[in-house]
């Protein structure tokens, strides 16, 4: 089956196959990974080519000495006239950095369906370092384009891709049925925005039963709950079901992790929050307990949710509250 590709001005990767998340310890990064770390002006993207212990951390957990290859937004050589705008090469550099995973915000980008092995990604990055022939993009983030190119052979920006996807989805749906996940999934696939595997996996997930919470025993740690938030259905991961000290009969006291709305779309952030919910059935738990769903244990689900707290990669349709919740809960593997 072919994906529709009516306007081929730019090629979009399947954005559900590309997931950035926060790194909390050394064990989460590998050589060949695409990494994002905060720079003075913008985020830097790089390919890790070597990881070594940092002497300051004898346990080799919180810190690491990391060798990176990345593109800078500096142009190589001398240019004049039109070549200033249309030509030029981005300078590729190799640098050594010391990462402290506790104090710095370091993100890793996970790719499902990546065409190259880690060793090939490193070889591609080293090849570009040697050639110094990477096309400079005046308006693009060259370091991000370089990293995605090394991993996938395509140059793209996740943020720009998500914006384009959101725009296409709004145009396709004409502002109706925005909360109909099944229809959104269908449209995203028909418009070539997500791959067939993500489409089929999502459809399978929508078949799961949503059970209304009517008593405290209906909700457990690690569950995906759905409730109304700013008039939209919103998903969250339950981190803790608190003991009821006050003696509320009709309420349940939960701590959960979710994509919180903080004023503007660019300020959607994954936050931890504590709130009491009524036991009137307005909140539901999605029942992913039986096959064909492969789920993490409740502890693993909670740990995965906590790992992404403070992340700001929200995009309608591509990485919203339900995608976050599903990512925490499911072993999303394309081979299953
Ligand atoms: Zn996909």
């Amino acid at each position: 089956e072919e994906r529709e590709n009516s306007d081929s001005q730019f090629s979009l990767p399947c954005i559900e196959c590309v997931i950035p998340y926060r790194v909390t310890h050394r064990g989460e990064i590998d050589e060949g990974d695409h990494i994002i770390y905060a720079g003075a002006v913008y985020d830097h993207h790089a390919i890790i080519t070597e990881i070594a212990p940092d002497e300051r951390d004898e346990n080799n957990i919180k810190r690491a000495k990391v060798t990176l290859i990345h593109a800078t937004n500096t142009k190589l050589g001398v240019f004049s006239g039109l070549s200033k705008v249309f030509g030029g090469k981005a300078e590729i550099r190799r640098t050594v950095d010391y990462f402290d995973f506790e104090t710095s915000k370091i993100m890793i980008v996970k790719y499902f369906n990546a065409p190259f092995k880690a060793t090939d990604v490193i070889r591609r990055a080293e090849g570009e370092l040697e050639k110094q022939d990477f096309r400079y993009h005046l308006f693009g983030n060259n370091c991000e384009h370089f990293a995605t190119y090394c991993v996938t052979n395509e140059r793209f920006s996740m943020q720009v891709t998500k914006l384009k996807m959101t725009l296409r989805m709004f145009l396709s749906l004409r502002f109706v049925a925005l909360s109909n996940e099944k229809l959104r999934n269908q449209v995203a696939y028909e418009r070539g925005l997500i791959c067939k595997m993500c489409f089929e996996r999502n459809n399978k997930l929508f078949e799961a039963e949503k059970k209304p919470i009517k008593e405290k025993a209906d909700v457990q740690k690690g569950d995906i709950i759905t409730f109304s938030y700013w008039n939209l259905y919103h998903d969250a991961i339950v981190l803790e079901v608190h003991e009821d000290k006050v003696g509320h009969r009709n309420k349940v006291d939960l701590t959960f992790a979710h994509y919180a709305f903080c004023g503007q779309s660019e300020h959607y952030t994954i936050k931890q929050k504590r709130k009491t919910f009524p036991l009137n059935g307005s909140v539901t738990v999605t029942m992913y307990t039986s096959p064909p769903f492969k789920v993490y244990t409740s502890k693993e689900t909670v740990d995965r949710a906590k790992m992404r707290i403070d992340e700001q990669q929200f995009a309608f349709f591509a990485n919203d509250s339900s995608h976050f919740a599903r990512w925490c809960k499911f072993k999303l593997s394309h081979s299953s």
Side-chain angles (χ1 to χ4, degrees), residues 211-240:
K211 190 183 171 197
I213 302 174
K214 291 189 169 165
E215 50 187 293
K216 278 161 203 168
D218 289 339
V219 58
Q220 312 288 335
K221 202 170 157 173
D223 280 348
I224 296 179
I225 54 168
T226 307
F227 54 94
S228 177
Y229 183 71
W230 296 87
N231 288 322
L232 284 170
Y233 283 113
H234 192 73
D235 289 339
I237 294 287
V238 177
L239 301 180
E240 189 88 61

Side-chain angles (χ1 to χ4, degrees), residues 220-274:
Q220 312 288 335
K221 202 170 157 173
D223 280 348
I224 296 179
I225 54 168
T226 307
F227 54 94
S228 177
Y229 183 71
W230 296 87
N231 288 322
L232 284 170
Y233 283 113
H234 192 73
D235 289 339
I237 294 287
V238 177
L239 301 180
E240 189 88 61
V241 182
H242 298 281
E243 252 187 80
D244 184 7
K245 288 182 186 133
V246 193
H248 285 129
R249 260 202 221 156
N250 311 316
K251 286 174 183 167
V252 61
D253 183 6
L254 304 175
T255 295
F256 57 92
H258 73 132
Y259 252 114
F261 178 63
C262 308
Q264 289 164 285
S265 66
E266 59 264 44
H267 290 116
Y268 277 95
T269 306
I270 296 177
K271 292 277 185 200
Q272 180 172 320
K273 190 176 157 69
R274 183 169 175 175

Side-chain angles (χ1 to χ4, degrees), residues 14-18 112-113 193-199 201 334:
C14 168
I15 207 67
E16 286 199 29
C17 284
V18 183
F112 293 99
N113 260 348
L193 301 172
I194 59 172
C195 71
K196 193 179 180 197
M197 281 173 280
C198 288
F199 166 71
R201 183 197 61 222
H334 280 311

Side-chain angles (χ1 to χ4, degrees), residues 17 26 41 93 121 145 160 166 249 254 282 288-289 308:
C17 284
R26 154 72 184 89
V41 184
R93 269 194 216 148
V121 173
H145 285 189
V160 171
T166 304
R249 260 202 221 156
L254 304 175
S282 62
Y288 293 122
T289 43
R308 286 181 60 182

Side-chain angles (χ1 to χ4, degrees), residues 11-60:
S11 70
L12 294 169
C14 168
I15 207 67
E16 286 199 29
C17 284
V18 183
I19 301 175
Y21 69 89
R22 175 113 187 234
V23 177
T24 56
H25 60 86
R26 154 72 184 89
E28 288 173 337
I29 57 167
D30 274 311
E31 290 167 357
D33 277 346
H34 171 179
I35 204 158
I36 311 173
Y37 54 106
V41 184
Y42 50 84
D43 285 347
H44 282 303
H45 294 248
I47 298 296
I48 301 175
T49 58
E50 211 183 319
I51 308 173
D54 178 338
E55 302 89 46
R56 285 168 290 183
D57 177 17
E58 53 187 26
N59 298 320
N60 196 21

